[in-house]
Amino acid sequence: MALLRRSSTLLRPLSTATTTTPSLLRPFSSDTTPITVETSIPFTAHNCDPPSRTVETTTQELMKFFRDMALMRRMEIAADSLYKAKLIRGFCHLYDGQEAVAVGMEAAITRKDCIITAYRDHCLFLGRGGTLVEAFSELMGRQGGCSKGKGGSMHFYKKEGGFYGGHGIVGAQVPLGIGLAFAQKYSKEDHVTFALYGDGAANQGQLFEALNMAALWDLPAILVCENNHYGMGTAEWRAAKSPSYYKRGDYVPGLKVDGMDAFAVKQACKFAKEHALKNGPLILEMDTYRYHGHSMSDPGSTYRTRDEISGVRQERDPIERIRKLVLAHDLATEKELKDIEKEVRKEVDDAIAQAKESPMPEPYELFTNVYVKDFGLESFGPDRKELRTVLP
Ligand SMILES: Cc1ncc(C[n+]2csc(CCOP(=O)(O)OP(=O)(O)O)c2C)c(N)n1
Ligand SMILES: [Mg+2]
């Protein structure tokens, strides 16, 4: 009963996606005429004034949001099938439902800004400019993967795109993210780091220790709590005395954001970047939801009701929100949107076919990139014949 009572707040009508400027039918790929949209609900702020609900966009951006999220969704559904076909092994955590966080954040920042996250990392990698072929190759443990097939689902990485992983130890990416923000400040760069973590990680001590240092040194760090309301099978209210994660920084300001609304995410991230560069850290709590279970070994239906999942799909789905906006503005027809989804499906299928052609890593790769070269310890050679250890 308690689960049902608490989770009913997850539902919020998609119909609240209102628009304020009328528009005409336009070719969507390049139309940059300004359109104004309003976020689903107002932001709730802690220790700061919230940004406006009114967000500037264009046809081009709306269509990009639709396409990018449709691509991410399709990639995750395909990963589910590949896992069941045993072409992906090991851990695999899917992001479908949470796509608006990835696309909204990207729309507000540049690739010079850093993102670091936990193991639910496939879609964030795509957002940072990673390709589908690199993603599927990594998932299937192939050489063509973004981590040369040696990391798998939890360890996607793209340094040149400002993406620092992909981490399997819950919460450990947050202090690393604060380190990235320290480096940005130290190098006098005008860039920030977004360190993402889940509601399950939000109660860990290391998070508060890192936040304290970030606040002491006014580091350009944004802590993004992706609150999908469950840490594995544990509902947030069973794990946190205060699940108002945007307030948990106490002296650090925070903002609660509808993480199912890409425009709310964009607005919040823009606000957070400006704030962090001027004043230091900030917490963004993204109210979001994952449709899949925690990982591929969790059917995801024992600790929550099917009605809850289908209710969120119907009322708050991030892709459907954009579809509704596009149709309300007559920016594209239903058929054109369906065609985009078809195109995306083909793109995913082609990428999988290409990834399957990529060979498995060579055995000697087992020991490369494990230790920093010439820094204490160096090991290589799977037959151990060449094993060499250098102590400092
Ligand atoms: C230090 C540590 N403890 C426990 C685990 C096992 N574990 C993996 S994910 C997870 C739950 C995390 O939930 P949350 O932070 O809400 O992220 P979500 O999976 O919902 O995105 C746990 C306990 C781990 N990987 N690392
Ligand atoms: Mg969670």
Side-chain angles (χ1 to χ4, degrees):
M1 270 319 284
L3 174 68
L4 286 176
R5 184 167 49 78
R6 306 243 182 176
S7 59
S8 63
T9 56
L10 294 171
L11 305 185
R12 189 167 306 121
L14 196 59
S15 51
T16 54
T18 52
T19 58
T20 54
T21 23
S23 65
L24 300 168
L25 192 64
R26 292 185 270 260
F28 43 70
S29 54
S30 58
D31 194 334
T32 52
T33 317
I35 301 173
T36 312
V37 296
E38 217 165 68
T39 61
S40 57
I41 47 164
F43 298 100
T44 316
H46 165 71
N47 271 347
C48 64
D49 293 324
S52 157
R53 280 179 75 178
T54 308
V55 190
E56 281 271 299
T57 185
T58 59
T59 308
Q60 192 181 35
E61 185 177 67
L62 264 158
M63 298 307 293
K64 181 171 161 42
F65 280 5
F66 182 80
R67 196 180 200 288
D68 288 355
M69 287 198 282
L71 192 73
M72 289 173 180
R73 176 81 48 98
R74 188 66 210 158
M75 174 177 73
E76 295 299 64
I77 303 301
D80 175 287
S81 305
L82 290 171
Y83 197 92
K84 286 172 180 154
K86 294 193 164 37
L87 284 160
I88 298 174
R89 313 299 289 246
F91 288 106
C92 186
H93 309 77
L94 303 178
Y95 199 70
D96 48 320
Q98 302 187 202
E99 299 93 342
V101 177
V103 300
M105 189 163 59
E106 283 300 336
I109 65 176
T110 74
R111 301 258 164 82
K112 293 252 166 87
D113 297 306
C114 301
I115 296 180
I116 187 165
T117 189
Y119 39 79
R120 211 176 290 287
D121 58 355
H122 314 160
C123 294
L124 290 155
F125 168 77
L126 273 200
R128 297 265 81 187
T131 67
L132 283 172
V133 177
E134 288 170 323
F136 283 117
S137 301
E138 193 56 46
L139 284 169
M140 294 191 282
R142 314 291 173 127
Q143 279 181 20
C146 55
S147 303
K148 297 185 186 168
K150 302 198 299 172
S153 165
M154 301 204 293
H155 301 108
F156 279 27
Y157 214 85
K158 188 176 178 63
K159 191 176 172 217
E160 69 280 15
F163 186 54
Y164 289 83
H167 296 266
I169 305 299
V170 169
Q173 73 279 9
V174 177
L176 295 177
I178 300 301
L180 289 167
F182 180 87
Q184 285 165 323
K185 177 136 186 164
Y186 187 78
S187 326
K188 298 191 168 46
E189 290 175 19
D190 271 344
H191 306 121
V192 301
T193 294
F194 288 76
L196 280 66
Y197 57 98
D199 46 299
N203 303 301
Q204 278 195 353
Q206 62 176 326
L207 193 137
F208 296 95
E209 294 175 42
L211 189 59
N212 178 52
M213 288 160 88
L216 275 174
W217 299 331
D218 298 328
L219 301 184
I222 295 126
L223 267 62
V224 182
C225 178
E226 285 189 281
N227 184 4
N228 57 18
H229 304 278
Y230 297 93
M232 297 183 102
T234 305
E236 57 175 350
W237 56 270
R238 293 176 63 205
K241 185 69 185 166
S242 163
S244 295
Y245 300 108
Y246 69 105
K247 287 187 191 165
R248 297 282 296 278
D250 183 11
Y251 44 85
V252 172
L255 212 57
K256 185 167 178 176
V257 183
D258 181 359
M260 304 297 268
D261 174 357
F263 287 108
V265 175
K266 174 185 156 184
Q267 185 82 328
C269 290
K270 189 167 166 268
F271 170 85
K273 181 171 172 175
E274 281 163 20
H275 173 96
L277 285 172
K278 238 191 292 163
N279 311 305
L282 182 99
I283 295 180
L284 295 179
E285 178 187 345
M286 301 290 179
D287 179 358
T288 185
Y289 200 78
R290 62 164 155 76
Y291 294 143
H292 261 90
H294 168 73
S295 68
M296 286 307 297
S297 57
D298 166 27
S301 51
T302 52
Y303 49 86
R304 53 185 190 172
T305 62
R306 290 200 184 278
D307 283 353
E308 178 184 301
I309 306 166
S310 59
V312 175
R313 269 190 198 279
Q314 273 166 29
E315 302 292 342
R316 298 183 60 205
D317 186 81
I319 303 177
E320 294 313 309
R321 173 176 294 281
I322 301 296
R323 191 193 308 273
K324 202 166 184 302
L325 277 172
V326 168
L327 295 176
H329 277 282
D330 281 336
L331 303 176
T333 62
E334 282 191 47
K335 181 176 179 311
E336 282 169 322
L337 294 180
K338 286 249 173 315
D339 286 347
I340 292 175
E341 287 172 308
K342 256 192 241 163
E343 226 174 76
V344 154
R345 200 180 263 255
K346 182 170 175 341
E347 226 175 280
V348 167
D349 290 347
D350 290 350
I352 293 171
Q354 215 177 311
K356 283 181 181 167
E357 297 293 312
S358 178
M360 295 288 175
E362 296 292 343
Y364 71 81
E365 283 280 14
L366 202 57
F367 288 91
T368 55
N369 308 116
V370 175
Y371 298 105
V372 175
K373 208 168 187 310
D374 298 330
F375 195 76
L377 202 71
E378 193 186 339
S379 296
F380 54 92
D383 54 5
R384 303 247 157 193
K385 278 191 194 135
E386 293 171 299
L387 186 76
R388 186 155 56 91
T389 305
V390 184
L391 293 173

